[in-house]
Amino acid sequence: MKRIKMGCTTLSIPAMALGIMRMNQKSVPEAQVAIQAAYDAGINFIDSADIYGGGKSEEIFGQAFSQMQIKREEMFIQSKTGIVPGKRYDFSKEHILHSVDEILERMQLDYLDSLVLHRPDALMDPEEVAEAFDQLQAAGKVRFFGVSNFDMAQFKLLQSCLSQRLMFNQLQFSLKHTGMIDFGMHMNMVDKPSVDRDSQFLDYARLHKVTVQAWSPFQYGMFEGTFIDNDGFPKLNQELQKLADKYEVGKNAIAAAWILRHPANIQMLVGSMNPQHIRDSAKGAKIRLTRQEWYDLYLAAGNYLP
């Protein structure tokens, strides 16, 4: 598995992480198979969130992992908080602290390697968040911190009050969600792709050594479904299959290789609980697409260049 530097540190993490959003749909033995498949492929990074399955995903993970032979220190375990049932967000100190305690209990852990704030809270008080982070770190409950779906101004605002460096920002990025790179290639134009909806965060991350974690790497829309083997995207699947045949892997691996080919050292979140999909996706970390192959996929996904 390809390894990348985590944020501004010298620590290395795998270029892929296993997202456990759908683990609530699995039995404990099935969850163990998925975790083991990821670990055997070099994916020793887990990404979760307190809202996944209403907390059930973390419960299943905790039961599964506690019975496995993998040592805790061999895994990097991350969870997210901030989205509250009832369609609101909450970055209050009280909520963050309480949420972490509940996460640790569900996952049967003594600490999290990373805590990520899940989608921006319009009522965020950066100084209050800073107090929560300091308390969690001092108590040994969380080692590192990050955010999810923050634009550059939100990220800089929070960072200005923290004593810790934010390591991560989770952002949607895939062959069918390319906004973070479209506008740069359509600079000085007036067409739709020239609109910057992501506040140039990818370039900011490269300048300031923030690890972008790409979620929904095989999805189109937000949660409409996967573009892999989808009849609605014939050109893209034809190009994926051509390269899959060349590199002797599956389409998932090629779609993953496309993301990892970007020089920003992006970490890709694999959300599948299917062991075969996990193993195939992991093979993408070993493939370095040529520049022409990368652009051929970009164009086959329905994008165009000026």
Side-chain angles (χ1 to χ4, degrees):
M1 171 57 59
K2 174 185 177 183
R3 308 284 294 187
I4 61 174
K5 288 290 191 299
M6 184 184 75
C8 61
T9 73
T10 59
L11 301 176
S12 71
I13 54 176
M16 293 186 186
L18 180 67
I20 65 168
M21 182 173 72
R22 299 175 179 85
M23 192 165 278
N24 65 304
Q25 302 168 14
K26 300 298 180 181
S27 66
V28 170
E30 289 172 332
Q32 289 176 324
V33 171
I35 296 168
Q36 191 68 53
Y39 181 80
D40 290 344
I43 302 174
N44 64 334
F45 193 117
I46 300 295
D47 175 69
S48 182
D50 54 7
I51 62 163
Y52 289 168
K56 187 67 175 178
S57 292
E58 294 188 334
E59 289 180 7
I60 296 295
F61 174 84
Q63 294 170 32
F65 186 66
S66 66
Q67 300 172 26
M68 298 179 71
Q69 298 302 310
I70 304 172
K71 295 179 181 179
R72 170 64 182 92
E73 57 269 24
E74 294 178 344
M75 297 290 281
F76 191 106
I77 301 176
Q78 169 178 284
S79 190
K80 299 183 288 294
T81 188
I83 300 180
V84 180
K87 295 187 176 180
R88 65 182 177 86
Y89 305 134
D90 190 347
F91 285 178
S92 66
K93 177 182 176 181
E94 179 184 14
H95 178 75
I96 293 172
L97 296 177
H98 180 66
S99 177
V100 168
D101 285 340
E102 291 189 328
I103 290 168
L104 293 175
E105 182 177 357
R106 284 192 297 269
M107 300 186 85
Q108 300 185 35
L109 302 172
D110 295 324
Y111 67 94
L112 288 173
D113 290 287
S114 177
L115 177 70
V116 168
L117 298 181
H118 206 172
R119 291 202 168 275
D121 175 12
L123 301 180
M124 176 183 73
D125 179 346
E127 294 182 352
E128 186 175 359
V129 173
E131 290 178 9
F133 283 8
D134 285 345
Q135 189 168 325
L136 288 168
Q137 194 172 59
K141 295 180 180 181
V142 180
R143 297 174 64 206
F144 303 103
F145 300 90
V147 296
S148 179
N149 305 295
F150 271 44
D151 67 21
M152 182 168 35
Q154 292 163 337
F155 189 96
K156 291 168 72 175
L157 173 63
L158 178 57
Q159 184 64 83
S160 70
C161 293
L162 299 178
S163 55
Q164 307 87 2
R165 284 283 294 270
L166 291 169
M167 296 293 160
F168 308 105
N169 191 4
Q170 289 192 7
L171 299 167
Q172 188 176 7
F173 186 57
S174 74
L175 273 163
K176 291 300 297 179
H177 195 98
T178 56
M180 286 199 297
I181 58 175
D182 293 340
F183 79 93
M185 291 184 285
H186 289 255
M187 171 64 183
N188 200 36
M189 301 191 69
V190 294
D191 54 1
K192 186 177 179 181
S194 68
V195 178
D196 175 17
R197 295 179 174 85
D198 299 283
S199 71
Q200 302 180 48
F201 194 89
L202 193 58
D203 290 334
Y204 175 86
R206 296 176 71 181
L207 283 168
H208 296 276
K209 294 183 171 31
V210 179
T211 298
V212 170
Q213 297 177 319
W215 57 271
S216 288
F218 309 125
Q219 301 285 315
Y220 68 95
M222 189 166 182
F223 294 115
E224 278 80 349
T226 179
F227 56 79
I228 304 288
D229 293 327
N230 188 319
D231 292 339
F233 309 102
K235 290 184 178 179
L236 177 55
N237 276 280
Q238 181 180 3
E239 193 65 30
L240 286 168
Q241 188 62 62
K242 183 180 80 173
L243 292 171
D245 291 341
K246 173 185 174 180
Y247 289 101
E248 299 182 334
V249 294
K251 293 179 182 177
N252 286 58
I254 299 303
W258 185 86
I259 293 172
L260 300 183
R261 179 64 174 82
H262 195 280
N265 282 326
I266 294 169
Q267 184 185 49
M268 194 191 86
L269 306 181
V270 182
S272 177
M273 291 289 98
N274 183 316
Q276 181 55 41
H277 289 171
I278 294 170
R279 285 189 287 266
D280 183 51
S281 298
K283 292 177 182 177
K286 299 179 180 179
I287 297 170
R288 182 174 174 82
L289 298 173
T290 68
R291 287 174 174 267
Q292 189 60 55
E293 289 168 344
W294 190 91
Y295 276 105
D296 286 345
L297 285 165
Y298 178 77
L299 296 172
N303 300 298
Y304 65 95
L305 296 173

